[in-house]
Amino acid sequence: MKSLVIVESPTKTKTIKKYLPKGYVVDSSMGHIRDLPSSAKEIPAKYKKEEWSNLGINVDDRYDPLYVVPAGKKKIVTKLKKELKDADELILATDEDREGEAISWHLTELLKPKVPVKRMVFREITKEAIQSALENFRDIDMNLVHAQETRRILDRLAGYTISPLLWKKIAPGLSAGRVQSVAVEFLVSRERERMKFRSATYFDLKAQLSKEDDKKNSFQGDLTYLNGKRLASGKDFDENTGKLKKPDSVVLLLKEDSEKLRDLLNEASWSVTDIDVKTQKRNPAPPFITSTLQQEANRKFGFSARDTMSIAQKLYENGLITYMRTDSMNLSGQAINAARNEVEKQYGEDYLFQRVRNYGKSKGAQEAHEAIRPAGSSFVHPEKSGLSGRQFKLYDLIWKRTIATQMAEAKLEFTNVTITAKKDDTEADFRSNGKKILFPGYFRAYVEGSDDPDAALENQENFLPNMDMGENIDLHDLESISHETKPPARFTEATLVKELEKRGVGRPSTYATIISTIQDRGYAQKAGKTLIPTYTAFAVTELLEKHFPEIVDSDFTSSLEDKLDQIAKGKYDPVKYLDDYYKGKDGLKEKVDQREDKIDPQEARLLDLPIEGLNGMQVHVGRYGPYVKGEIDGEEVTTSLPVDLDPGELSAKKIRELIKAEKEGPKSLGNHPETGEPVYVLSGRYGPYVQLGEVTEENKKPKRVSLLKGMKPEDVDFDLATSLLELPRTLGEHPETGKEVKAGVGRYGPFVLHDGTFKSLKKDDNVLTIDLDRAVQLLKEKGKGSRGSSTIAELGNHPETDKPVKVMTGRYGPYLKYGKKNISLPKGTEPEKVSMGDAVRLIDEKGKK
């Protein structure tokens, strides 16, 4: 008997083959095999005249979707059909979630099998799991299929109805989404809070103390009360005014007050007036679900949500962890036994929790699912996994978190000592806090937010000497400390995931896609770990808040998710759900039809930013980016905003400076000694730069060179400007080839260039002063890549396929490396200026050819 087994990915194919008996052929669908049409070209000819064809959904016939096989999947379908002809049964082994269930259903619809069809499900790719799955086939769960299909239709309706409106009213190419727009609103709302924020400064005192005659074991004390009244701290200030919320209830120390108090207390007598000792137990965090894994990997390793899911997918497909898209904190009996065995083996019986520790149900979690954990009935130790790099880091994290769930509680002792300084009529209470780990328990394996549990144990402890009530204390140093209140922190990927989960927006399996989408669409950009909303994000959010508030209402979006969960359980009608959302009395289509003509494009492009003192100055979003408009001497002046100036950094003062600079025009630093043309320092969309000459009809593109990293426009004098304008500069001829060696600056920093080979300068090299010998030395260093190739820039992972994309240079010149493919750059392309957008276009063109 011959069985055809279909999974989603080639990697999964290789792993599952190892555990199947002879006679089983395993192949991959390479993900979804059908979808709604993504362009007019994909719409079959017989549907092109239908009014709904571009939408891909017949909204008048029970929201019947038009499914097509994308061009890239047609060969796969042909191959699977051919393999099915020789099979006696079809086994569908796609993932056990809504997407996986939908893929199985689409496969049956396309392949039209005439042999028995069986649905095979497993949560991990191990021998035991596969054998169990072979004995427990089931039918395709159509409720899960309906839930996935409804979500897909819902997202298409939202996107295709609102996005065209944004193109007309704000700018082409914008998009809206049921979940995406809520995530953007979170970023924008937080940025508004930051823009409204007013900082406050306050002071306190920090004392270095010790027991009498014991200067070696000093400890710290912080001023908390003055004459019985609590000292003001950051939480006491209003974020929007910078003033105290309740000025009569606290003592505010300013600089002069704190210095006078310091001088007074230097002469005071110090003694212990209160000792409070408490013992606490700490329990380990639950095992990972999708969202908490994304958060922790971002906190510890800086992984993006997309990176985390991509790495976890590989670990799952290679049989090392259970399925990584889950919202259940449940651990199976097998997992608990394996974890408890590992605890005894690694740490001893004392570190084992006295009973099995279980964790509560997550909201909406599917109880059949399991938390993310190492696969199998015995866990592979990270050091024996054969993994390296990012895969090792993530597996090690999952292994430790899982083990920790079955470990004993940590026991901690906290000591809080109040030491009072008395002088004349002044009493000042200082608080000293001690922390001691009585028993580390699960800390031995895992400390949340820490890579090294042993180092974390040391960092957590803070010892105080034994003290008695009334004991005299010596003062060694007393310092006045200045504090400034901080605005609310911007979202990171980790905190955005946490907020989405808290509000019930989207589901864990969608978070990585949401966060990637809002960056790819230009609604947010990363600065370090933080996500900063763009001017476009403000414009789109303001329009949606004013005219379609439900789209950015997290409660409304959460209620939609709850109904999708009900559809997945067979308890809610998908058609009623879609009707209510799209065609109902308050449905999306009705609202767009009613409000579209009432939205003024000029008003939609004018941003309502919470900036004080604008006095008629305006910030707009235009086709070519954000710009400001103002009036000087009765004349209206418009100027672009620099691309690196975020909305949160914008102020009335900065806007006035930009408008004034535009009105006055650039001031010349002097005339170039060779050409006689004026030399300017200017700022543009991509930051400050120096320019040789003016823009004229004859000279539309004068020479421009960006300032080097760390340079400020106000620090650039004539000599430095002319030095920059010499770039790229010729250093001489290479001693081996006789060809020119040059030094220059590109999108990814300063470099040297020889015969098509680029090499980035080191930190200590200066592109303005580097000589030929040093350049030759750098060029000799082995570059990344093979056969003499070197990397010019690592652009990151392709937004759709997640394969790495690099700009390289080699024997035959610069090229793109996309996964294992090499794609030559078009003639005349400056490789150091190639962006991910450029790369994606070239990759697409190569694919079409």
Side-chain angles (χ1 to χ4, degrees):
M1 184 170 173
K2 191 174 180 181
S3 303
L4 174 62
V5 181
I6 303 179
V7 296
E8 302 104 311
S9 77
T11 308
K12 199 173 174 183
T13 301
K14 294 174 189 173
T15 311
I16 198 174
K17 267 182 183 176
K18 297 187 293 186
Y19 305 122
L20 290 172
K22 288 183 179 178
Y24 284 77
V25 175
V26 188
D27 209 336
S28 162
S29 69
M30 300 291 287
H32 273 281
I33 208 82
R34 291 198 309 181
D35 198 4
L36 301 174
S38 61
S39 65
K41 285 191 292 186
E42 289 188 346
I43 299 170
K46 66 177 181 178
Y47 294 108
K48 282 188 182 289
K49 292 182 180 178
E50 300 288 348
E51 284 185 16
W52 51 266
S53 61
N54 285 333
L55 184 61
I57 301 159
N58 188 347
V59 295
D60 296 321
D61 184 11
R62 297 181 60 80
Y63 296 89
D64 187 33
L66 172 61
Y67 288 119
V68 297
V69 179
K73 293 294 177 79
K74 287 181 178 176
K75 286 183 180 178
I76 297 169
V77 174
T78 303
K79 183 186 177 191
L80 293 174
K81 282 182 176 178
K82 185 178 178 182
E83 289 172 336
L84 186 58
K85 285 180 181 177
D86 299 327
D88 299 305
E89 66 177 1
L90 173 62
I91 298 175
L92 301 167
T94 53
D95 292 337
E96 191 190 10
D97 58 11
R98 294 173 194 174
E99 295 295 324
E101 210 72 22
I103 291 171
S104 284
W105 176 74
H106 282 295
L107 284 166
T108 60
E109 292 289 297
L110 268 176
L111 302 179
K112 302 189 183 305
K114 296 177 182 176
V115 295
V117 178
K118 298 174 180 176
R119 178 77 171 101
M120 176 183 178
V121 292
F122 43 84
R123 300 291 300 160
E124 58 187 355
I125 309 176
T126 61
K127 187 176 181 180
E128 299 156 287
I130 299 305
Q131 287 178 345
S132 174
L134 287 171
E135 295 168 7
N136 295 283
F137 292 117
R138 65 166 172 80
D139 294 329
I140 291 173
D141 187 334
M142 288 308 297
N143 288 327
L144 291 180
V145 174
H146 291 150
Q148 187 278 338
E149 183 174 70
T150 305
R151 181 193 290 276
R152 184 73 186 93
I153 293 171
L154 186 71
D155 289 342
R156 172 61 67 97
L157 292 173
Y160 274 44
T161 305
I162 296 289
S163 297
L165 182 71
L166 299 178
W167 304 343
K168 296 174 191 174
K169 306 300 181 180
I170 298 177
L174 297 179
S175 69
R178 184 180 54 87
V179 177
Q180 161 196 322
S181 296
V182 179
V184 173
E185 196 274 338
F186 287 169
L187 299 183
V188 169
S189 292
R190 180 62 57 85
E191 200 68 14
R192 285 174 182 151
E193 290 175 25
R194 290 174 58 85
M195 294 169 80
K196 291 176 185 174
F197 176 80
R198 296 295 173 264
S199 66
T201 302
Y202 61 97
F203 285 75
D204 62 15
L205 297 180
K206 195 176 292 293
Q208 203 63 33
L209 307 164
S210 75
K211 295 181 67 170
E212 287 185 320
D213 304 323
D214 189 12
K215 291 184 180 179
K216 290 182 180 178
N217 297 311
S218 66
F219 57 93
Q220 191 174 287
D222 297 306
L223 179 63
T224 55
Y225 281 81
L226 185 62
N227 294 324
K229 210 170 189 179
R230 185 171 63 81
L231 208 66
S233 62
K235 65 182 180 182
D236 296 305
F237 292 90
D238 186 288
E239 293 185 342
N240 295 327
T241 64
K243 296 179 180 179
L244 287 171
K245 298 173 189 172
K246 297 179 180 178
D248 295 334
S249 63
V250 291
V251 177
L252 173 60
L253 285 186
L254 299 178
K255 184 177 182 182
E256 188 179 337
D257 304 323
S258 67
E259 289 173 351
K260 281 181 181 178
L261 184 61
R262 177 196 62 196
D263 295 341
L264 178 69
L265 296 182
N266 269 318
E267 305 299 323
S269 58
W270 296 67
S271 62
V272 178
T273 53
D274 188 53
I275 300 173
D276 181 35
V277 180
K278 291 180 181 176
T279 302
Q280 286 185 10
K281 290 182 179 180
R282 294 272 176 86
N283 286 306
F288 281 127
I289 59 175
T290 304
S291 58
T292 53
L293 179 64
Q294 290 172 3
Q295 291 170 51
E296 189 74 340
N298 182 259
R299 280 195 296 261
K300 284 195 172 189
F301 312 130
F303 293 172
S304 69
R306 178 189 276 177
D307 286 344
T308 297
M309 295 311 290
S310 174
I311 298 163
Q313 179 85 36
K314 292 182 178 72
L315 294 175
Y316 166 68
E317 290 173 351
N318 286 311
L320 283 164
I321 64 169
T322 53
Y323 194 53
M324 64 286 154
R325 291 185 179 89
T326 177
D327 50 9
S328 172
M329 295 185 288
N330 181 49
L331 283 175
S332 66
Q334 180 196 67
I336 289 169
N337 288 335
R340 293 178 73 81
N341 288 337
E342 281 297 308
V343 173
E344 280 202 82
K345 190 196 306 182
Q346 300 296 331
Y347 306 108
E349 193 175 339
D350 288 346
Y351 282 86
L352 191 64
F353 192 53
Q354 65 266 32
R355 64 179 186 276
V356 168
R357 189 185 274 114
N358 287 309
Y359 292 85
K361 178 183 174 184
S362 310
K363 182 187 175 184
Q366 300 173 62
E367 287 301 288
H369 291 180
E370 196 175 350
I372 304 168
R373 63 160 177 96
S377 55
S378 62
F379 298 162
V380 176
H381 194 281
E383 299 295 341
K384 295 178 181 177
S385 64
L387 299 171
S388 61
R390 301 200 302 175
Q391 286 192 37
F392 174 84
K393 283 184 174 181
L394 197 67
Y395 178 71
D396 185 59
L397 189 70
I398 294 166
W399 186 90
K400 286 175 177 174
R401 177 100 163 205
T402 308
I403 298 303
T405 64
Q406 301 306 312
M407 292 181 73
E409 304 153 321
K411 293 178 183 175
L412 309 172
E413 182 182 272
F414 295 91
T415 303
N416 298 316
V417 179
T418 301
I419 295 161
T420 303
K422 295 182 180 179
K423 176 67 175 175
D424 302 330
D425 296 330
T426 301
E427 278 193 15
D429 291 338
F430 287 74
R431 174 68 63 89
S432 295
N433 300 315
K435 183 178 180 183
K436 188 189 296 183
I437 296 174
L438 302 177
F439 179 67
Y442 72 90
F443 285 174
R444 282 290 306 277
Y446 180 84
V447 179
E448 203 167 5
S450 173
D451 297 325
D452 182 353
D454 290 331
L457 290 181
E458 293 173 16
N459 293 338
Q460 283 200 3
E461 294 196 288
N462 180 36
F463 295 103
L464 287 178
N466 291 324
M467 289 179 270
D468 298 317
M469 287 288 292
E471 183 175 355
N472 290 333
I473 298 295
D474 284 346
L475 172 68
H476 298 291
D477 186 44
L478 190 57
E479 188 180 359
S480 171
I481 306 292
S482 170
H483 301 276
E484 191 170 344
T485 56
K486 303 292 182 189
R490 285 185 173 120
F491 283 104
T492 63
E493 288 204 13
T495 55
L496 183 56
V497 165
K498 190 173 183 179
E499 188 71 9
L500 289 167
E501 184 177 42
K502 175 185 168 185
R503 304 278 197 97
V505 176
R507 283 295 179 258
S509 58
T510 65
Y511 294 153
T513 305
I514 293 165
I515 292 172
S516 296
T517 299
I518 64 177
Q519 292 177 76
D520 295 342
R521 300 284 164 83
Y523 291 126
Q525 52 193 21
K526 257 189 170 182
K529 283 188 177 183
T530 60
L531 293 167
I532 304 175
T534 61
Y535 294 94
T536 305
F538 274 84
V540 170
T541 299
E542 286 174 15
L543 184 148
L544 295 177
E545 286 173 334
K546 186 173 181 180
H547 298 282
F548 308 99
E550 296 85 0
I551 289 178
V552 287
D553 181 350
S554 61
D555 290 337
F556 178 75
T557 306
S558 177
S559 71
L560 293 179
E561 292 290 354
D562 291 339
K563 286 175 184 172
L564 283 172
D565 291 341
Q566 293 299 307
I567 292 169
K569 296 172 185 174
K571 296 180 179 179
Y572 203 89
D573 179 13
V575 175
K576 181 181 184 319
Y577 174 88
L578 293 168
D579 250 343
D580 290 345
Y581 178 79
Y582 188 66
K583 290 165 68 177
K585 183 181 177 183
D586 293 320
L588 182 63
K589 185 177 186 302
E590 181 71 17
K591 286 177 181 173
V592 171
D593 290 345
Q594 284 180 0
R595 299 180 191 178
E596 182 171 356
D597 292 339
K598 297 176 183 176
I599 301 173
D600 179 0
Q602 293 301 318
E603 184 183 314
R605 293 170 189 150
L606 172 61
L607 302 188
D608 182 20
L609 299 175
I611 300 174
E612 286 185 359
L614 285 178
N615 297 329
M617 295 181 291
Q618 298 174 335
V619 183
H620 297 256
V621 169
R623 179 181 286 270
Y624 302 107
Y627 62 94
V628 292
K629 188 187 290 185
E631 197 175 276
I632 294 182
D633 300 330
E635 182 183 345
E636 187 175 89
V637 180
T638 300
T639 184
S640 295
L641 287 171
V643 75
D644 59 348
L645 184 63
D646 301 317
E649 296 170 1
L650 202 57
S651 65
K653 181 183 176 185
K654 184 67 180 175
I655 293 174
R656 278 192 291 270
E657 288 173 358
L658 290 167
I659 291 175
K660 184 180 178 184
E662 181 72 21
K663 168 73 174 170
E664 294 176 350
K667 292 181 180 177
S668 170
L669 297 175
N671 292 337
H672 195 279
E674 294 176 13
T675 68
E677 294 173 287
V679 175
Y680 300 108
V681 181
L682 303 171
S683 280
R685 287 188 63 204
Y686 300 101
Y689 59 93
V690 292
Q691 177 176 301
L692 179 61
E694 296 179 3
V695 178
T696 62
E697 278 299 316
E698 296 75 28
N699 186 22
K700 291 183 179 178
K701 290 188 177 180
K703 183 169 185 179
R704 293 168 176 165
V705 179
S706 295
L707 300 194
L708 303 182
K709 189 176 180 180
M711 285 185 179
K712 295 180 180 178
E714 59 267 27
D715 297 334
V716 178
D717 58 18
F718 179 73
D719 292 336
L720 180 55
T722 51
S723 296
L724 288 168
L725 287 166
E726 289 176 9
L727 298 176
R729 62 191 186 93
T730 301
L731 305 181
E733 295 180 353
H734 196 287
E736 295 175 10
T737 66
K739 294 183 178 180
E740 280 188 342
V741 177
K742 293 184 176 183
V745 179
R747 185 185 180 96
Y748 299 98
F751 61 86
V752 287
L753 167 65
H754 165 252
D755 195 19
T757 298
F758 289 79
K759 186 72 183 177
S760 294
L761 300 193
K762 305 286 186 183
K763 190 176 179 181
D764 296 332
D765 293 315
N766 186 330
V767 70
L768 300 176
T769 58
I770 190 170
D771 59 20
L772 180 63
D773 291 342
R774 174 60 180 156
V776 170
Q777 182 186 350
L778 285 170
L779 289 162
K780 282 182 179 178
E781 290 180 8
K782 188 178 179 182
K784 298 175 186 176
S786 57
R787 299 180 185 175
S789 296
S790 62
T791 302
I792 296 173
E794 296 189 12
L795 301 182
N797 290 354
H798 191 288
E800 294 178 9
T801 65
D802 210 38
K803 291 180 181 177
V805 182
K806 299 178 183 179
V807 182
M808 309 282 291
T809 185
R811 184 177 179 184
Y812 302 106
Y815 63 95
L816 282 178
K817 188 166 188 65
Y818 168 55
K820 294 182 179 179
K821 293 180 181 177
N822 294 340
I823 301 168
S824 296
L825 293 180
K827 194 172 182 180
T829 302
E830 295 182 61
E832 71 279 4
K833 292 185 179 179
V834 172
S835 66
M836 176 61 86
D838 300 327
V840 169
R841 283 191 290 275
L842 288 168
I843 292 164
D844 287 346
E845 288 170 12
K846 178 77 173 177
K848 286 171 186 173
K849 287 177 185 177

